[in-house]
Amino acid sequence: MADAPITQDVLTIPRKLPADGARNLVGLTRDQLREALISVGTPEKQAKMRTGQLWQWIYEKGVRDFAQMTNLAKDYRALMAEHFVIEVPQVVTREVSADGTRKYLVRIAGGHEVETVYIPEEGRGTLCISSQVGCTLTCSFCHTGTQKLVRNLTAGEIIGQVMLARDDLGEWPEPGKSPHDETRLLSNIVLMGMGEPLYNFEAVRDAMKIAMDPEGISLSRRRITLSTSGVVPEIARTAEEIGCMLAVSFHATTDEVRNKLVPINRRWNITELLEALRAYPKASNSERITFEYVMLKGVNDSDEDAHRLIELIRGIPAKINLIPFNEWPGAPYERSSNNRIRAFADIIYKAGYASPIRTPRGEDIMAACGQLKSATERARKSRRDIEKEAGLG
Ligand code: SAH
Ligand code: SF4
């Protein structure tokens, strides 16, 4: 695979080590946790049991202090505290929207910041998490794509967002209560925050495995949706190694328009993308794929687009999620009118597909889709750069 001209280098930094050199256990897979315990002197024979005990304290009970782990001997707790910490990223600010949406600005190692958004809905609550600081891709309608500085989040920083949201929601089970209570405040995860999750595959996979682990946070894989802009070679791997639901940022019905909106299309075009998507539901045992389609006035919102979309996805079990464009300062597009969006939705619905129009949530705090970008991130592209990349300049 040749280097894509459209990606920038991802800054890789070593796994976070707290100042005193203690290692953070959050984000380690079960195997990695076991190895870590052995490396500080846990006898091999006990390692599996100790791994299970720590796992439950960390992910089922939400405990961060080894001293509270009452089923571990006192000297073992001391050994743990000497070598390890249990840390989640720090919440710098928390904003609550008029509609109840909560946006967290989260600080991770190196002083970088990402955003995590909690969206309460009737009977469920969805956490939208970030997988990278910024994004190497430059979709021309997306605010995150204007952020230059990028680094991959570690698995600990990804699952840490789920843990800090549960802290804020007060959702760790009280002693004696079942952790598998179905009326959960945080019942769903979407990887739709900052970053392209499939450009940080291993960390995303490990974090989602932790989220799905039945002895911990225990979310069903059907309640986790990964959204990709179309990193074709990683789609089959997502089915095999994660098995979650898939959403794809489709957004256009011709390569010409998609090249401008979602520049990764120049690398893997619509035909290649659809081929990978056709194989997904069966391989992952998931019901259907969500096609995300941002409604941009005069760009991708005509009746012809709707008809072409239906033709393209024929045979794929799908739902089409229409997203009214969320504006951000300097954005080179406008949102399609409500009438246009409804007409578009109608054509798709009549062809037999669910075509919900996504209600923008948390717009007043810039928490809606595509509005995320760290407030402190100053390395901004100019409006001219954005327009040039969109082929509008
Ligand atoms: N990088 C991944 C996931 C994050 S983006 C991806 O692109 O799929 C989550 C969704 O929000 C994507 O469908 C994205 O295209 C959409 N989006 C980005 N900017 C938007 C904006 N300004 N208005 C509405 N949706 C937007
Ligand atoms: Fe990155 Fe997704 Fe935004 Fe495109 S839409 S720039 S892939 S975060």
Side-chain angles (χ1 to χ4, degrees), residues 141-142 191-193 195-196 227-229 249 251 292 294 323-326 328 369-370:
F141 54 89
C142 174
L191 281 145
M192 294 186 185
E196 168 48 60
S227 173
T228 180
S229 58
S249 292
H251 304 322
E292 298 165 282
V294 63
I323 318 174
F325 174 59
N326 293 311
W328 39 270
C369 288

Side-chain angles (χ1 to χ4, degrees), residues 288 291 318-322 345 348-357:
R288 53 188 179 170
F291 284 75
K319 156 175 124 179
I320 292 94
N321 216 329
L322 299 176
I348 291 167
Y349 180 75
K350 286 199 176 116
Y353 294 97
S355 55
I357 300 168

Side-chain angles (χ1 to χ4, degrees), residues 13 16 24 87-94 103-116 130 132-133 151-154 156-158 160-161 164 194 374-378:
I13 66 144
K16 181 187 173 195
N24 189 6
E87 278 186 353
V88 301
Q90 181 199 351
V91 176
V92 184
T93 56
R94 189 192 79 155
K103 182 169 87 169
Y104 307 99
L105 180 65
V106 173
R107 182 166 299 148
I108 56 171
H112 300 293
E113 285 166 355
V114 293
E115 288 169 326
T116 307
S130 294
Q132 297 183 308
V133 179
R151 89 153 162 85
N152 279 335
L153 266 57
T154 62
E157 290 162 346
I158 297 170
Q161 295 170 65
L164 66 85
M194 296 162 71
S374 345
T376 48
E377 180 52 66
R378 278 180 266 273

